[in-house]
Amino acid sequence: MNPEFWQNRWQEKRIGFNQSEVNSLLIKYWSALNFPASSRVFVPLCGKSIDMVWLSAQGFDVVGVELVESAVQAFFAEQNIQPTIYQHAENTEIKCYQGELGDSEAKRTITLWVADIFALTSTDIGSIDAVYDKAALIALPADMRTQYSEQICLLSGTAPQLVITLHYDQSKKDGPPFSVSGEQVQQYYGNRYQITELAREPATIGSAPDLTVSEQVWLLSE
Ligand SMILES: C[S@@+](CC[C@H](N)C(=O)[O-])C[C@H]1O[C@@H](n2cnc3c(N)ncnc32)[C@H](O)[C@@H]1O
């Protein structure tokens, strides 16, 4: 998946992955991570997901990374927030959009990096307490996922993760979203985390409505 693929998807508004409502599995299972409010949550490959607004409303500061700048601009525009935009000190291709969500009594910071996730360092991202991976691991083809999982661990310091995956017969459909099995989750993260399957539910993929798909929720903890 090259950057042009995603630039085109956003430009042509082929963003079926973007949900208009907060992901119900996030609402149901986030508490399994048991974090105090004001923790910092990392949302890799974040798009303009409204899940970040929900996380913010739960009292978390949110740090996202998204390749496509128009997605980040759309997020702030849709939330009626005027972000402050910073240029990365060393890499002219990286920008950081920052704003505040919530009312005056409970404001949380949201920081969205416009960057290839592989170009960022833990110094850029800062300290992270938890990771929410929805449609991120499964957005990447198999040959990128080991590098992705290593980068997530580098950036987050192996913070606990809630990961949502889809599993289906990959021979019946091209990704994204790609099928990721439990064995693959183990392969990517098993050497760093205890992996617990919290849920497995039937699901559908819009572009292949007849495919048998299960959606799985994983808790990765040390
Ligand atoms: C399937 S979408 C999921 C977006 C979001 N997590 C959601 O659930 O709505 C994957 C997103 O990752 C972004 N992306 C793909 N490769 C990336 C990379 N290497 N670095 C940062 N973002 C990337 C794409 O532009 C796209 O918005």
Side-chain angles (χ1 to χ4, degrees):
M1 244 65 308
N2 57 31
E4 290 71 39
F5 172 88
W6 293 107
Q7 299 283 0
N8 290 340
R9 291 279 297 248
W10 279 98
Q11 197 172 353
E12 293 160 13
K13 298 191 168 41
R14 290 189 294 117
I15 51 168
F17 50 80
N18 185 64
Q19 298 178 322
S20 56
E21 294 190 357
V22 178
N23 189 288
S24 58
L25 297 171
L26 171 66
I27 297 172
K28 196 163 174 188
Y29 293 105
W30 182 254
S31 59
L33 278 80
N34 212 12
F35 280 111
S38 82
S39 300
R40 289 183 93 226
V41 181
F42 183 40
V43 184
L45 281 58
C46 61
K48 57 171 185 168
S49 174
I50 197 170
D51 294 352
M52 296 190 284
V53 178
W54 184 86
L55 285 165
S56 174
Q58 306 311 301
F60 300 102
D61 289 325
V62 173
V63 183
V65 178
E66 169 55 49
L67 194 59
V68 179
E69 185 165 18
S70 63
V72 170
Q73 290 168 336
F75 174 84
F76 283 102
E78 287 168 16
Q79 300 310 320
N80 286 315
I81 304 168
Q82 185 65 51
T84 307
I85 305 169
Y86 304 94
Q87 191 72 51
H88 192 281
E90 286 147 27
N91 186 334
T92 53
E93 292 186 1
I94 297 178
K95 282 185 203 169
C96 177
Y97 282 59
Q98 196 164 63
E100 287 188 324
L101 277 168
D103 56 35
S104 55
E105 299 204 346
K107 281 204 182 301
R108 305 304 333 172
T109 303
I110 178 145
T111 307
L112 300 188
W113 289 88
V114 178
D116 182 336
I117 191 167
F118 299 106
L120 288 172
T121 68
S122 56
T123 309
D124 297 324
I125 296 287
S127 151
I128 294 294
D129 301 303
V131 179
Y132 172 56
D133 179 324
K134 185 244 151 191
L137 180 65
I138 62 169
L140 300 173
D143 63 1
M144 289 180 73
R145 279 184 231 136
T146 300
Q147 190 195 356
Y148 167 82
S149 61
E150 286 169 358
Q151 181 69 351
I152 292 292
C153 292
L154 272 177
L155 294 178
S156 72
T158 331
Q161 300 194 38
L162 193 74
V163 181
I164 301 178
T165 56
L166 296 175
H167 189 216
Y168 61 89
D169 181 350
Q170 190 70 87
S171 70
K172 297 204 166 139
K173 182 197 149 20
D174 290 334
F178 292 95
S179 174
V180 172
S181 66
E183 290 74 26
Q184 287 173 312
V185 175
Q186 191 68 37
Q187 179 193 327
Y188 304 137
Y189 287 116
N191 59 344
R192 297 186 176 88
Y193 290 100
Q194 298 287 334
I195 299 172
T196 309
E197 183 182 356
L198 296 178
R200 181 189 306 213
E201 297 183 357
T204 49
I205 296 175
S207 56
D210 297 331
L211 199 62
T212 303
V213 183
S214 55
E215 189 165 32
Q216 287 168 284
V217 183
W218 306 95
L219 172 64
L220 278 51
S221 53
E222 278 197 288

